[in-house]
């Protein structure tokens, strides 16, 4: 079984506090685009929100489960922790909510590549990784996150058996690598919608 965990609980400070998952691109919200892309690839989609109030914003989304952080205020690693505990799948695709152009074939390829590894993470270089557009083994996440001390994902990625997937290899499925388009600021949104 495969799961998808989408982290929606960020503070959106760089987007003037606006909720990025409801930004529009090509006539649909980011969260609609993401869930529609993932629906045919995974057996379940879990959104991880800050609190129950934020979860209620997604009531209109069908076939999606929204849960809240177990450990509050520790950033993406808190969302990963809650998502891993809620997921039923052995493998979990993890995404940020501000990536509206993810290609289904890229996600499928990451699932197919993980093999016996603990994670399959796209990388631009040895230092530039994409941990929030990656596939993880659920049991490894749960075990690591029991005792982690850092709020950063990097120490976790370095301490588990990670397969680094060069992004150039993903051009076969996404020639312009648009899957990695990340909208952090309102200017980014204007730019992507201007294309």
């Amino acid at each position: 079984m495969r799961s998808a965990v989408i982290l929606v609980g960020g503070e959106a400070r760089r987007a003037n506090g606006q909720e990025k998952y409801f930004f529009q691109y090509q006539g649909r919200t980011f969260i609609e685009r993401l869930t529609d892309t993932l629906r045919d690839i995974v057996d379940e989609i879990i959104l991880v929100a800050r609190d129950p109030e934020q979860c209620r914003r997604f009531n209109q989304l069908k076939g999606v489960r929204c849960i809240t952080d177990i450990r509050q205020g520790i950033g993406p690693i808190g969302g990963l922790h809650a998502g891993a505990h809620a997921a039923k799948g052995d493998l979990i695709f993890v995404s940020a909510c501000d990536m509206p152009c993810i290609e289904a074939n890229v996600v499928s390829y990451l699932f197919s590549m993980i093999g016996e590894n603990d994670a399959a993470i796209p990388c631009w270089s040895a230092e530039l990784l994409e941990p929030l557009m990656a596939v993880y083994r659920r049991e490894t996440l749960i075990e690591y996150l029991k005792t982690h001390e850092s709020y950063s994902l990097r120490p976790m990625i370095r301490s588990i058996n990670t397969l680094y997937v060069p992004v150039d290899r993903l051009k076969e499925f996404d020639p312009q690598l648009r899957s990695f388009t990340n909208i952090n600021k309102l200017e980014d949104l204007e730019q992507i919608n201007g294309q």
Side-chain angles (χ1 to χ4, degrees):
M1 186 172 173
R2 295 174 172 180
S3 302
V5 168
I6 304 173
L7 308 181
V8 298
E11 302 283 332
R13 289 186 188 101
R14 288 181 283 185
N16 295 337
Q18 294 187 42
E19 298 168 318
K20 293 189 281 186
Y21 37 80
F22 289 143
F23 283 174
Q24 296 266 336
Y25 176 58
Q26 294 183 340
R28 289 183 298 155
T29 65
F30 284 13
I31 198 66
E32 288 170 334
R33 289 179 61 84
L34 261 172
T35 54
D36 288 350
T37 296
L38 294 170
R39 212 173 296 282
D40 294 332
I41 306 166
V42 299
D43 301 293
E44 65 174 351
I45 299 173
I46 300 167
L47 309 183
V48 184
R50 280 187 305 273
D51 51 43
E53 179 190 334
Q54 189 182 32
C55 264
R56 283 191 283 277
R57 296 179 189 146
F58 303 103
N59 285 345
Q60 82 286 359
L61 287 177
K62 300 295 179 215
V64 172
R65 184 163 43 118
C66 189
I67 64 164
T68 58
D69 284 335
I70 298 167
R71 298 180 188 158
Q72 303 284 323
I74 60 171
I77 208 151
L80 208 54
H81 172 260
H85 279 278
K88 297 185 178 87
D90 298 326
L91 299 176
I92 303 172
F93 172 73
V94 175
S95 170
C97 68
D98 56 3
M99 301 177 81
C101 304
I102 289 175
E103 284 288 333
N105 288 335
V106 170
V107 178
S108 293
Y109 182 72
L110 292 173
F111 273 119
S112 74
M113 288 300 294
I114 193 168
E116 297 300 312
N117 297 289
D118 295 323
I121 299 180
C123 63
W124 299 86
S125 68
E127 292 303 313
L128 192 53
L129 311 175
E130 296 283 352
L132 296 183
M133 194 359 222
V135 171
Y136 297 89
R137 194 167 298 285
R138 178 180 179 269
E139 64 188 50
T140 302
L141 286 179
I142 289 173
E143 189 59 35
Y144 176 84
L145 295 171
K146 269 184 194 171
T147 57
H148 78 286
E149 294 177 6
S150 172
Y151 291 175
S152 169
L153 294 171
R154 190 171 295 272
M156 179 184 78
I157 291 162
R158 299 291 188 214
S159 70
I160 63 177
N161 183 20
T162 298
L163 172 72
Y164 298 99
V165 181
V167 293
D168 282 349
R169 211 181 291 171
L170 303 175
K171 285 183 176 177
E172 178 184 345
F173 314 105
D174 184 359
Q176 296 178 311
L177 298 175
R178 289 173 54 80
S179 292
F180 299 100
T181 302
N182 183 271
I183 307 301
N184 282 314
K185 300 178 289 209
L186 296 176
E187 293 84 352
D188 298 336
L189 181 65
E190 289 165 11
Q191 186 175 14
I192 194 174
N193 277 313
Q195 291 177 347

